[in-house]
Amino acid sequence: MSRVYIFLADGFEDIEGLTVVDLMRRAGIEAVTVSIKETREITTSHGIEMKTDRVFSETDFSDADMLVLPGGMPGTKYLGEHQPLTGLLTEYYAKGGKVAAICAAPSVFAKLGFLKNRKATSYPSFMDQLDGAETCEDPVVVDGNVTTSRGLGTAVPFALSLIAQLMGEEKAQEIAESIVYRG
């Protein structure tokens, strides 16, 4: 079974983070939510209080098949400032691991140098922060081991793309049909 870690900080965009978790779990992927705080309690950008599956400092990521960052503010800012997370992302990316980010979160990848000479997208007001990338307005962009997406309105195609990368296009189509998604 594939294992994906989705990193959450206070102020993450609810739909961008939880759509990925929901659709991956429907596909049979072990989608693990991870708080970057020292507690499992997180408050979303719209004030929903929730608990993550794990806390960053107590998690071994050596079995990861993909690392995912949802957007939202100030969640993206907190993710980008969390040095243990940026260190993990850098090490994982350097080994060719699959990384994905949506909305404002591709800006974290840009700051880490992941988007240099790659095609990428993000939330419109963050496009100018994608230094070194060939930016576009596609809903989801996959360039090598890096996937980026635009925002809440592209959360379903983003999640389906991640499923296709891990389990194949047929599984992604099966999940799309099961949720009555017509992209």
Side-chain angles (χ1 to χ4, degrees), residues 15-154:
I15 300 302
E16 294 165 4
L18 298 179
T19 296
V20 171
V21 174
D22 181 292
L23 296 186
M24 285 189 167
R25 288 181 179 177
R26 290 173 192 251
I29 296 168
E30 187 176 353
V32 181
T33 57
V34 180
S35 167
I36 64 165
K37 301 184 339 180
E38 288 302 317
T39 174
R40 292 177 50 219
E41 287 76 24
I42 293 285
T43 303
T44 72
S45 63
H46 297 285
I48 298 171
E49 294 180 15
M50 62 168 282
K51 286 189 177 184
T52 61
D53 299 315
R54 299 198 187 159
V55 172
F56 189 96
S57 63
E58 299 170 358
T59 305
D60 173 10
F61 301 102
S62 63
D63 60 354
D65 293 297
M66 182 181 286
L67 305 178
V68 180
L69 303 183
M73 280 302 197
T76 295
K77 177 180 176 286
Y78 297 147
L79 292 174
E81 292 173 347
H82 191 263
Q83 291 183 350
L85 174 59
T86 58
L88 171 68
L89 287 166
T90 300
E91 181 180 313
Y92 190 75
Y93 171 82
K95 292 178 182 173
K98 292 179 182 298
V99 295
I102 185 170
C103 191
S107 66
V108 174
F109 289 176
K111 287 179 181 135
L112 295 173
F114 298 179
L115 302 183
K116 283 199 183 345
N117 303 314
R118 289 189 186 272
K119 190 174 176 186
T121 194
S122 73
Y123 192 74
S125 64
F126 280 81
M127 293 287 268
D128 65 345
Q129 294 184 35
L130 304 187
D131 296 333
E134 176 190 333
T135 60
C136 68
E137 295 183 4
D138 295 351
V140 180
V141 176
V142 181
D143 189 337
N145 61 328
V146 178
T147 303
T148 54
S149 189
R150 305 220 58 203
L152 185 151
T154 63

